[in-house]
């Protein structure tokens, strides 16, 4: 069980973020520990990327060490709501040496708060460490870049739209129900109680950690079904990070009733109804007897809210309603 104690300041600094490299790490974790839960296209694409590009170190480290632990520096702290992949890869490559050393000690010897859980270290990990922490971080960043471009980038627009739509739905939920209730609905093993954010772990009572935090970062993922705790360490850890919790992205309903969503009015409901297939602004204006300027205005709002996707085809920009199903590779 992980308990994060948040005072008034910490509660006010709870924020959401969408992480492309975090999604890649979640995919790696499933490949390493539960490949059967992935759909065949995702499993094939991820395993092919690891084998074709010989990303053995990433598979060993990113897939998880003892008790499923993988170093947190592979999921850098998002500086904003959406961090581009190049920034995140630079963060990995420039991880401070002492932080790399600390986290790899965790991976080799078990968690510092559970020192009795040591496991034999993977030989490939030890061989890579022989050249030092800086080389190790740069090599992992390079392998993560190749994995990202091969396995996840082709589907990232759909995955990103799903994640942004989830965050938009959570923001609406906070406005209706409050932050505490929204936190309790994020994942079955996550709860807010008595001023603490509690993460119940599948390992049961093995891990016990209580942290005092001034902030928490919440990031959705299409590759998890339970909340995962990342970063946030006992006092004295080098280069301490903000506690980060990965939670399962919900199945976002993109056509809520008008009374349930502050963005949706009669005109936007009609637009969403027309967007079961890709359509241009001009076509929508013709079908709904509206001016192109009016249609464009409403589409921009729906796109910013994550309710529609936008793609360019030749000289046309086409919009389509975001489906509720999990995006697949393609």
């Amino acid at each position: 069980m992980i308990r994060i104690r948040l005072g008034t300041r910490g509660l006010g600094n709870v924020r959401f973020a969408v992480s492309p490299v975090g999604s890649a790490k979640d995919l790696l974790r499933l490949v390493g520990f539960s490949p059967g839960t992935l759909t065949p296209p995702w499993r094939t694409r991820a395993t092919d990327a690891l084998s074709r590009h010989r990303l053995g170190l990433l598979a060993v480290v990113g897939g998880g060490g003892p008790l499923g632990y993988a170093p947190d520096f592979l999921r850098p702290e998002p500086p904003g709501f959406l961090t581009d992949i190049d920034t995140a890869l630079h963060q990995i490559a420039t991880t401070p040496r002492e932080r790399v050393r600390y986290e790899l000690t965790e991976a080799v010897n078990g968690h510092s708060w559970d020192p009795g859980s040591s496991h034999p270290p993977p030989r490939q990990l030890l061989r890579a460490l022989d050249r030092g922490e800086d080389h190790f971080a740069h090599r992992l960043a390079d392998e993560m870049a190749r994995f990202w471009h091969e396995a996840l980038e082709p589907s990232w627009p759909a995955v990103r739209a799903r994640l942004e739509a989830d965050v938009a739905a959570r923001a609406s939920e906070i406005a209706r129900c409050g932050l505490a209730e929204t936190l309790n609905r994020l994942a079955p093993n996550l709860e807010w109680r008595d001023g603490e954010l509690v993460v119940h772990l599948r390992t049961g009572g093995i891990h016990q950690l209580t942290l005092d935090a001034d902030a928490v970062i919440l990031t959705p993922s299409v590759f998890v079904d339970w909340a995962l705790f990342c970063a946030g360490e006992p006092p004295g850890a080098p280069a301490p990070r903000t506690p980060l919790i990965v939670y399962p992205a919900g199945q976002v309903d993109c056509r809520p009733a008008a009374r349930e969503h502050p963005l949706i009015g009669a005109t936007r409901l009609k637009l969403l109804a027309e967007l079961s297939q890709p359509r241009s602004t001009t076509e929508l204006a013709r079908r709904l007897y509206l001016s192109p300027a009016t249609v464009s205005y409403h589409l921009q709002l729906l796109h910013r809210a994550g309710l529609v996707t936008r793609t360019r085809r030749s000289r046309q920009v086409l919009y389509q309603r975001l489906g509720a199903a999990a995006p697949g590779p393609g």
Side-chain angles (χ1 to χ4, degrees):
M1 178 189 297
I2 308 294
R3 298 167 53 177
I4 306 172
R5 294 191 295 221
L6 292 167
T8 303
R9 179 181 177 184
L11 198 58
N13 288 329
V14 172
R15 65 181 177 93
F16 288 80
V18 171
S19 172
V21 77
S23 292
K25 188 183 178 191
D26 294 332
L27 178 57
L28 274 169
R29 176 178 171 274
L30 284 185
V31 172
F33 281 93
S34 187
T37 63
L38 286 167
T39 61
W42 274 122
R43 185 167 61 249
T44 299
R45 183 186 285 181
T47 55
D48 284 356
L50 291 171
S51 61
R52 183 162 51 249
H53 294 282
R54 299 181 179 181
L55 308 180
L57 182 62
L58 183 67
V60 168
V61 178
L67 300 178
Y69 174 76
D72 290 325
F73 70 84
L74 278 176
R75 189 194 304 269
E77 182 174 321
F81 174 68
L82 178 64
T83 305
D84 65 85
I85 187 65
D86 290 334
T87 297
L89 292 171
H90 177 74
Q91 288 178 279
I92 294 174
T94 57
T95 304
R97 294 178 185 176
E98 63 274 13
R99 182 73 200 189
V100 174
R101 191 178 307 117
Y102 171 78
E103 293 195 14
L104 290 177
T105 299
E106 301 281 286
V108 171
N109 298 322
H111 294 286
S112 60
W113 59 88
D114 184 22
S117 65
S118 60
H119 284 60
R123 293 179 181 177
Q124 191 165 6
L125 187 153
L126 294 180
R127 287 198 300 268
L129 279 174
D130 287 342
R131 299 184 64 179
E133 288 84 358
D134 289 343
H135 172 81
F136 191 89
H138 278 85
R139 179 175 167 184
L140 277 179
D142 178 67
E143 291 197 10
M144 178 64 87
R146 283 182 279 170
F147 180 77
W148 154 264
H149 288 298
E150 183 78 13
L152 197 56
E153 184 181 28
S155 297
W156 179 242
V159 173
R160 172 182 169 177
R162 164 84 178 275
L163 301 180
E164 291 183 341
D166 176 90
V167 175
R170 305 298 178 182
S172 176
E173 191 173 30
I174 291 172
R176 297 195 311 272
C177 308
L179 179 58
E181 184 62 26
T182 300
L183 292 174
N184 282 324
R185 295 179 181 181
L186 288 180
N189 63 319
L190 186 66
E191 64 172 325
W192 173 260
R193 69 183 188 199
D194 301 327
E196 296 179 342
L197 193 55
V198 180
V199 185
H200 299 277
L201 305 179
R202 280 181 165 155
T203 49
I206 295 178
H207 297 320
Q208 298 286 336
L209 179 66
T210 299
L211 298 170
D212 292 304
D214 291 331
V216 167
I217 301 171
L218 304 168
T219 178
S221 173
V222 300
F223 298 116
V224 303
D225 58 0
W226 268 42
L228 303 178
F229 174 76
C230 307
E233 299 84 16
R241 294 179 40 172
T242 302
L244 185 148
I245 294 174
V246 184
Y247 69 89
Q251 297 291 335
V252 179
D253 183 357
C254 295
R255 295 182 63 188
R259 66 180 181 277
E260 294 180 345
H261 200 298
L263 286 172
I264 304 300
T267 299
R268 290 167 207 163
L269 277 176
K270 291 178 183 178
L271 283 170
L272 288 173
E274 293 290 337
L275 290 173
S276 59
Q277 57 183 296
R279 300 190 192 278
S280 68
T281 300
T282 301
E283 183 180 4
L284 289 166
R286 185 177 64 251
R287 293 174 67 91
L288 296 176
Y289 303 99
L290 296 170
S291 72
T294 298
V295 171
S296 178
Y297 167 76
H298 289 293
L299 287 174
Q300 295 303 316
L301 293 177
L302 291 171
H303 182 259
R304 285 201 296 270
L307 298 179
V308 300
T309 60
R310 181 172 62 193
T311 57
R312 180 173 292 277
R313 185 177 300 169
S314 186
R315 296 184 178 182
Q316 282 190 318
V317 176
L318 301 179
Y319 294 83
Q320 186 172 13
R321 185 175 71 236
L322 182 64

